[in-house]
C-alpha cells in the first residue's frame, strides 16, 4: 500500500503474491473501524505543512474523481453502505515526487509531482481509478485484519510515521532499518494479486467514466520508462506499485480487446489537453516555491514564441500558465500580466480555457494589489471561483460582500475548512465577533480537530455570557443558540472519541 512503501524489499522475489485472503473474508476490518483509523490519519495530514488546499487544482481533481465515483457506483463496485461510511476525499500533498496513495477510510493522497508529470487527464484518471479500486475492493481492510494484533491507534501512528519518512527516501531507509518496522511495512504493502485486481477494476471504472482508455497504457509506459532509468527516487509510486510482467501484459491485453488506439489528439480531447497543461503547470509552480525554480519556469515561458499561426501547443500553454503564476510569486507583476495576456489571446480560439484564465487573472490582480479594480468573476459557480472571489473582496476592503456568498456555500459544503476560515475573516472585519469565532470553530471541525473547535466554541460562550458581544436582539439570540448547540455536539463527539479510543486500546 500506500505512499510510504519506501523500499525495495516489497519487490523481492521471496515475497509471494499468494497471500490474498479469500474474497468476503470475514476477518477484514469493519468499515466503521477503518473510517475511524482514516480520520485519525487525515486529521494529522490536515495539520501537516505539506498538506495543500489549492481550490483550482482541487476542482480539477474533482472533475476527474467524481465521474470515477459515479462509474464505480453504477458498476456495483461501490455499494451504498461503503459510500456512506467512507470519506471519499482526495487530498493534495505538496511534494514533487510522482505518487498517489490510498489511506484507510476512503482518503486518497495525490502528490503535486504526479499532476505535473502526467500529460492528460486520462493518465491522471488511470492512477486515481486504480487507487479508488484498492479502497472499493477493501484491500486496506484486508491488510489491516492481518494486523489484528496491532491496535488501531498504533497503526495510525505507524502509517503517519511512514508517510513522514517517505518525504525523504534516505531518512526513510534509515528509519526503517529496525527489523520490526520492516516486518510491519511489508504487511502494509498490497500484494501482487491486489495490484492486479486494482488494475483490472480500475480499468473498467475509468473506461465506464468516459476517459480515454489509452491513458492507462501511456501511464504504464511512463512508469516503465522510469523504472528502466532506475528513477525510483522521484517515482515512489513505483516502489509501492512494482511493474510486474503480469501487470503490463494484462494491461496491454485489455487494450487490444478494445481495438486500435485513437488517432492523435484533436477536438474535445485536444481541448482537455490544453486545460490539463495549465493544471500541470500550476502543479509545477506550487510544488517548488524556491526562487530558483520559479525563475526557471518564468524563463521557459519567456521562450514561448510570440505568435503561432496554428495556435499554441499544449506544452506552450502550460509553460505560459506556469510562467505567469511563477512571476506572480516572484512579485514581478507586469511580467505575470503580460504572460497571462498572451494566454488570453490563445484562449480566444479555445473557450474551454476561459474559466482557468479568469481565475489566474484575478490571482494576479490580488497579488499585485489591484483587487479593487478587478472585475468580478463571470464564471462564479465553482469552489475555486467562490473562494477566490471572496479573497478578492477581502483584499479590496469589501468584507460586506463576502458572508452571503460563503454562508450559502458552507450550507451545502459544511466540511469546507477554507470557506469557513474566509467567512471568519470577513465577519471579524465587520465586528461580528461571535459569528467569526463560530466560523473559525467550524473550520477546525472540518479538519477533524475537535479539541481546537471545542476551545473556540467555549470562547464564544464565554463572550456571550460576558455580554460584550456587539450583537443584539433576535439575531444575537439565534447566534447564541447555534453556538450552544454546536458546542454540545462537539462535546458529545469528543466523549465518543475518547470512549472509542479506550475500546481500541483494549483490542
Ligand atoms: Zn496499487
Amino acid at each position: 500500500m500506500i505512499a510510504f512503501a519506501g523500499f525495495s524489499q516489497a519487490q523481492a522475489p521471496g515475497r509471494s503474491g499468494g497471500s490474498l485472503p479469500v474474497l468476503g473474508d470475514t476477518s477484514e476490518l469493519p468499515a466503521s473501524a477503518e473510517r475511524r483509523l482514516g480520520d485519525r490519519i487525515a486529521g494529522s495530514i490536515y495539520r501537516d505543512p505539506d498538506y495543500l488546499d489549492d481550490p483550482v487544482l482541487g476542482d480539477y481533481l474533482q472533475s476527474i474523481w467524481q465521474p470515477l465515483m459515479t462509474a464505480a457506483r453504477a458498476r456495483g463496485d461501490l455499494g451504498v453502505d461503503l459510500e456512506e461510511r467512507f470519506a471519499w476525499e482526495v487530498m493534495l500533498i505538496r511534494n514533487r515526487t510522482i505518487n498517489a496513495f490510498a489511506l484507510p477510510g476512503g482518503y486518497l493522497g495525490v502528490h503535486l509531482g504526479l499532476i505535473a508529470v502526467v500529460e492528460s487527464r486520462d493518465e491522471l484518471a488511470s492512477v486515481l481509478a486504480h487507487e479508488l479500486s484498492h479502497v472499493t475492493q477493501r484491500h486496506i481492510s484486508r491488510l489491516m485484519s492481518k494486523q489484528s494484533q496491532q491496535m488501531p491507534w498504533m497503526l495510525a501512528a505507524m502509517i503517519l510515521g511512514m508517510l513522514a519518512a517517505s518525504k525523504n527516501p534516505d531518512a526513510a531507509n534509515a528509519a526503517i532499518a529496525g527489523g520490526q518496522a520492516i516486518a510491519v511495512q511489508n504487511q502494509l504493502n498490497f500484494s501482487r494479486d491486489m495490484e492486479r485486481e486494482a488494475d483490472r477494476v480500475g480499468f473498467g471504472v475509468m473506461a465506464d467514466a468516459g476517459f480515454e482508455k489509452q491513458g492507462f497504457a501511456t501511464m504504464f509506459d511512463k512508469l516503465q520508462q522510469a523504472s528502466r532509468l532506475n528513477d525510483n527516487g522521484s517515482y515512489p509510486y513505483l516502489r509501492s506499485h512494482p511493474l510486474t510482467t503480469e501487470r503490463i501484459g494484462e494491461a496491454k491485453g485489455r487494450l487490444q480487446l478494445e481495438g486500435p488506439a485513437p488517432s492523435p489528439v484533436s477536438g474535445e480531447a485536444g481541448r482537455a489537453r490544453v486545460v490539463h497543461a495549465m493544471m500541470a503547470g500550476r502543479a509545477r509552480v506550487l510544488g517548488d516555491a524556491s526562487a530558483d525554480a520559479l525563475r526557471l519556469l518564468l524563463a521557459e515561458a519567456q521562450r514561448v514564441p510570440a505568435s503561432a499561426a496554428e495556435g499554441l501547443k499544449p506544452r506552450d500553454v502550460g509553460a505560459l500558465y506556469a510562467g505567469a503564476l511563477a512571476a506572480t510569486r516572484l512579485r514581478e507583476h507586469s511580467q505575470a500580466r503580460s504572460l497571462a495576456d498572451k494566454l488570453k489571446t490563445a484562449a480566444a480560439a479555445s473557450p474551454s480555457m476561459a474559466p482557468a484564465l479568469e481565475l489566474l487573472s484575478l490571482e494576479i490582480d490580488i497579488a499585485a494589489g489591484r483587487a479593487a479594480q478587478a472585475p468580478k468573476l463571470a464564471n462564479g459557480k465553482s469552489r475555486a471561483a467562490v473562494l477566490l472571489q471572496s479573497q478578492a473582496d477581502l483584499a479590496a476592503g469589501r468584507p460586506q460582500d463576502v458572508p452571503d456568498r460563503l454562508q450559502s456555500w458552507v450550507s451545502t459544503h459544511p466540511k469546507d475548512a477554507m470557506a469557513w476560515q474566509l467567512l471568519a475573516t470577513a465577519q471579524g472585519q465587520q465586528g461580528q465577533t461571535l459569528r467569526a469565532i463560530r466560523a473559525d470553530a467550524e473550520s477546525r471541525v472540518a479538519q477533524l480537530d475537535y479539541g481546537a473547535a471545542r476551545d473556540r466554541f467555549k470562547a464564544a460562550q464565554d463572550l456571550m455570557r460576558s455580554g460584550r458581544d456587539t450583537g443584539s436582539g433576535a439575531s444575537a439570540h439565534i447566534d447564541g443558540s447555534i453556538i450552544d448547540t454546536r458546542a454540545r455536539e462537539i462535546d458529545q463527539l469528543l466523549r465518543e472519541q475518547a470512549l472509542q479510543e479506550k475500546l481500541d486500546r483494549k483490542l
Side-chain angles (χ1 to χ4, degrees):
M1 141 190 208
I2 318 191
F4 51 72
F7 52 32
S8 49
Q9 278 89 335
Q11 298 165 56
R15 187 164 179 267
S16 115
S19 59
L20 187 68
V22 183
L23 284 171
D25 184 344
T26 50
S27 71
E28 66 183 27
L29 192 69
S32 52
E34 189 185 326
R35 174 66 192 272
R36 281 200 302 277
L37 181 61
D39 282 353
R40 212 175 291 210
I41 296 166
S44 297
I45 293 179
Y46 287 137
R47 291 192 277 284
D48 190 304
D50 285 336
Y51 166 73
L52 175 71
D53 180 3
D54 179 63
V56 173
L57 285 180
D59 282 354
Y60 183 56
L61 279 180
Q62 284 303 315
S63 78
I64 298 169
W65 179 246
Q66 288 307 327
L68 294 175
M69 288 282 290
T70 305
R73 214 175 282 135
R75 292 161 48 89
D77 295 328
L78 173 57
V80 179
D81 188 54
L82 199 62
E83 177 159 14
E84 279 173 3
R85 281 178 196 278
F86 277 12
W88 307 110
E89 191 183 322
V90 185
M91 306 167 111
L92 262 180
I93 312 290
R94 199 193 321 259
N95 188 313
R96 272 177 295 158
T97 61
I98 289 100
N99 204 6
F101 52 90
L103 291 168
Y107 291 98
L108 269 87
V110 173
H111 283 192
L112 287 176
L114 176 70
I115 303 175
V117 83
V118 297
E119 274 160 289
S120 68
R121 58 190 274 116
D122 309 294
E123 288 181 358
L124 201 46
S126 79
V127 175
L128 292 181
H130 174 100
E131 297 302 323
L132 172 65
S133 302
H134 276 313
V135 183
T136 58
Q137 301 308 112
R138 304 302 312 279
H139 290 165
I140 294 175
S141 68
R142 281 188 256 160
L143 291 177
M144 297 290 147
S145 69
K146 284 200 283 177
Q147 297 282 313
S148 52
Q149 77 279 17
Q150 304 283 356
M151 288 170 274
W153 60 271
M154 250 180 85
L155 267 176
M158 234 147 37
I159 291 173
L160 282 166
M162 288 172 181
L163 274 176
S166 78
K167 288 178 191 168
N168 178 347
D170 294 335
N173 285 329
I176 52 160
Q180 166 104 46
I182 288 177
V184 166
Q185 177 150 20
N186 269 342
Q187 282 170 304
L188 288 175
N189 274 307
F190 292 131
S191 71
R192 285 182 183 188
D193 286 352
M194 286 174 171
E195 291 305 344
R196 288 165 63 190
E197 188 177 39
D199 283 345
R200 180 176 56 76
V201 175
F203 182 84
V205 167
M206 171 193 180
D208 284 7
F211 291 100
E212 193 50 68
K213 299 173 205 95
Q214 212 60 31
F216 219 93
T218 51
M219 192 65 215
F220 262 85
D221 289 343
K222 269 203 181 69
L223 292 170
Q224 210 173 355
Q225 250 169 21
S227 75
R228 260 193 232 112
L229 295 170
N230 206 11
D231 194 13
N232 290 12
S234 51
Y235 278 78
Y237 197 70
L238 268 172
R239 286 196 302 260
S240 53
H241 292 83
L243 285 174
T244 59
T245 42
E246 296 109 305
R247 284 187 74 201
I248 294 167
E250 286 172 1
K252 295 220 162 113
R254 266 176 221 118
L255 277 168
Q256 268 153 19
L257 290 177
E258 301 287 338
S263 46
V265 234
S266 60
E268 198 187 329
R271 288 190 287 278
R273 278 284 150 108
V274 172
V275 171
H276 176 79
M278 291 193 285
M279 295 302 106
R282 186 174 185 89
R284 279 197 290 279
V285 174
L286 299 183
D288 189 347
S290 72
D292 285 350
L294 295 175
R295 295 236 162 261
L296 278 176
L297 290 170
L298 181 52
E300 200 180 316
Q302 284 161 338
R303 282 196 297 271
V304 173
S307 65
E310 73 284 9
L312 289 171
K313 294 184 179 69
R315 77 177 284 137
D316 293 338
V317 170
L320 286 174
Y321 184 101
L325 197 59
T328 303
R329 302 282 152 130
L330 290 164
R331 313 208 61 73
E332 297 190 11
H333 302 303
S334 62
Q335 270 295 333
R337 178 52 61 202
S338 95
L339 291 169
D341 286 346
K342 225 168 170 181
L343 270 176
K344 220 175 272 174
T345 313
S350 180
S352 56
M353 287 170 65
L357 284 186
E358 207 193 2
L359 292 168
L360 176 67
S361 182
L362 186 53
E363 255 181 298
I364 292 172
D365 282 338
I366 294 173
R370 295 180 45 84
Q373 291 83 30
K376 295 240 171 185
L377 291 169
N379 305 291
K381 295 270 188 286
S382 68
R383 175 174 188 251
V386 166
L387 298 186
L388 197 67
Q389 185 64 63
S390 301
Q391 278 167 358
D393 289 336
L394 288 173
R398 300 187 298 251
Q400 69 280 7
D401 289 4
V402 173
D404 282 352
R405 184 187 309 121
L406 289 183
Q407 291 281 10
S408 95
W409 179 261
V410 295
S411 71
T412 48
H413 303 83
K415 291 182 181 162
D416 193 329
M418 190 184 280
W420 283 114
Q421 213 34 252
L422 286 167
L423 182 58
T425 306
Q427 289 167 331
Q429 287 183 6
Q430 293 178 276
Q432 301 171 346
T433 315
L434 264 188
R435 289 182 182 178
I437 300 176
R438 188 234 160 171
D440 186 25
E442 296 291 358
S443 84
R444 311 296 156 149
V445 175
Q447 299 208 326
L448 308 176
D449 191 350
Y450 300 129
R454 179 181 52 192
D455 292 347
R456 282 163 181 77
F457 280 124
K458 287 242 183 310
Q461 286 175 316
D462 289 347
L463 190 65
M464 285 191 308
R465 278 188 213 102
S466 75
R468 274 185 289 113
D469 185 57
T470 51
S472 63
S475 76
H477 181 70
I478 293 169
D479 290 344
S481 69
I482 291 175
I483 286 167
D484 283 337
T485 307
R486 292 295 286 146
R488 269 198 303 277
E489 284 168 358
I490 299 305
D491 270 340
Q492 178 66 21
L493 258 170
L494 278 164
R495 269 198 300 276
E496 282 167 14
Q497 219 176 36
L499 192 69
Q500 193 61 53
E501 218 149 296
K502 244 186 210 166
L503 289 173
D504 286 350
R505 278 166 199 267
K506 274 189 198 148
L507 276 180

